[in-house]
């Protein structure tokens, strides 16, 4: 791996530019009315040593996965004392089983799965994030898996972590990620006949414009734009 040797990320990966009224950084215009522009970035690969217990986890995974390691672990990000393993969806179950079962890892608790939508991240627009906890070793870890919008399939890990049952259903409902192998992947929040997935960033927000002291603020669906 390349980059600084303090475990901090390299320069972030820029995947697009956000235009809109709010959310821009690094500009003197803080009014929100200037049509601000902000880069859309993802954390870059971190370099060794990662620090804390993170190197031990990486060493064990590299040893146990052997020739599969480079295909299974796409990227390692250490940021603000947290470690995220970006895992290939084809190796998710293999990595999850190893993290749960290895006596020196023992991440026996998964705290669910959260969806993320990056419309500008071509070929990996949908992300699923799994926070793991080792009660045995008092450690935390996060897995992140991506899938393209055109093929939104990620293997279910409900049989490995039963607590993910309803979390996978919720993520399917709100983001449209299909968890293959789930025993009953149905909507959990929205009506069964609802069209679309409300937490995707291209989902219309609706709303009405507001006028205040001569300034017209656009409705929410115009206030944030992702293209």
């Amino acid at each position: 791996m390349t980059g600084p040797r303090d475990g901090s990320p390299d320069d972030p990966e820029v995947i697009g530019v956000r235009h809109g009224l709010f959310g821009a950084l690094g500009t003197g215009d803080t009014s929100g009315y200037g049509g601000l522009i902000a880069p859309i970035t993802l954390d870059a690969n971190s370099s060794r040593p990662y620090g804390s217990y993170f190197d031990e986890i990486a060493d064990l995974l590299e040893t146990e996965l052997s020739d599969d390691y480079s295909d299974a672990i796409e990227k390692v990000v250490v940021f603000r004392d947290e470690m995220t393993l970006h895992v290939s969806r084809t190796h998710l179950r293999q990595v999850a089983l190893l993290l749960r079962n290895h006596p020196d890892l023992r991440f026996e608790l998964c705290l669910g799965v959260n969806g993320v939508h990056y419309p500008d991240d071509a070929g990996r627009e949908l992300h699923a994030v799994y926070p793991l906890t080792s009660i045995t070793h008092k450690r935390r870890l996060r897995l992140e898996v991506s899938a393209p919008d055109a093929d939104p399939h990620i293997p279910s890990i409900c049989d490995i972590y039963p607590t993910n049952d309803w979390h996978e259903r919720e993520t399917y409902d709100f983001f449209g990620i299909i968890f293959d192998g789930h025993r009953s992947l149905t909507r959990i929040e929205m009506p069964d006949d609802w069209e679309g997935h409300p937490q995707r960033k291209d989902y219309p927000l609706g709303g009405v414009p507001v006028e205040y002291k001569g300034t017209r603020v656009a409705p929410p669906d115009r206030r944030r734009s992702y293209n």
Side-chain angles (χ1 to χ4, degrees), residues 167-200:
H167 291 274
E168 287 185 4
R169 288 179 60 188
E170 183 179 58
T171 302
Y172 160 72
D173 193 353
F174 285 152
F175 291 91
I177 297 175
I178 300 171
F179 293 94
D180 294 329
H182 192 285
R183 62 183 179 179
S184 179
L185 195 63
T186 57
R187 289 192 181 271
I188 193 173
E189 301 282 354
M190 311 304 294
D192 290 340
D193 59 351
W194 192 268
E195 295 184 6
H197 303 283
Q199 289 192 356
R200 288 198 183 192

Side-chain angles (χ1 to χ4, degrees), residues 60-71 94 98:
L60 283 167
L61 288 174
E62 191 166 0
T63 298
E64 296 297 325
L65 293 172
S66 186
D67 294 339
D68 290 336
Y69 181 82
S70 58
D71 293 327
Q94 179 186 10
L98 177 58

Side-chain angles (χ1 to χ4, degrees), residues 135-158:
I135 300 173
T136 300
H137 300 295
K138 297 180 175 61
R139 294 176 172 179
R140 294 184 300 169
L141 178 67
R142 186 163 46 231
L143 304 182
E144 186 163 341
V145 182
S146 63
D149 195 10
D151 181 27
H153 291 265
I154 292 176
S156 172
I157 59 171
C158 282

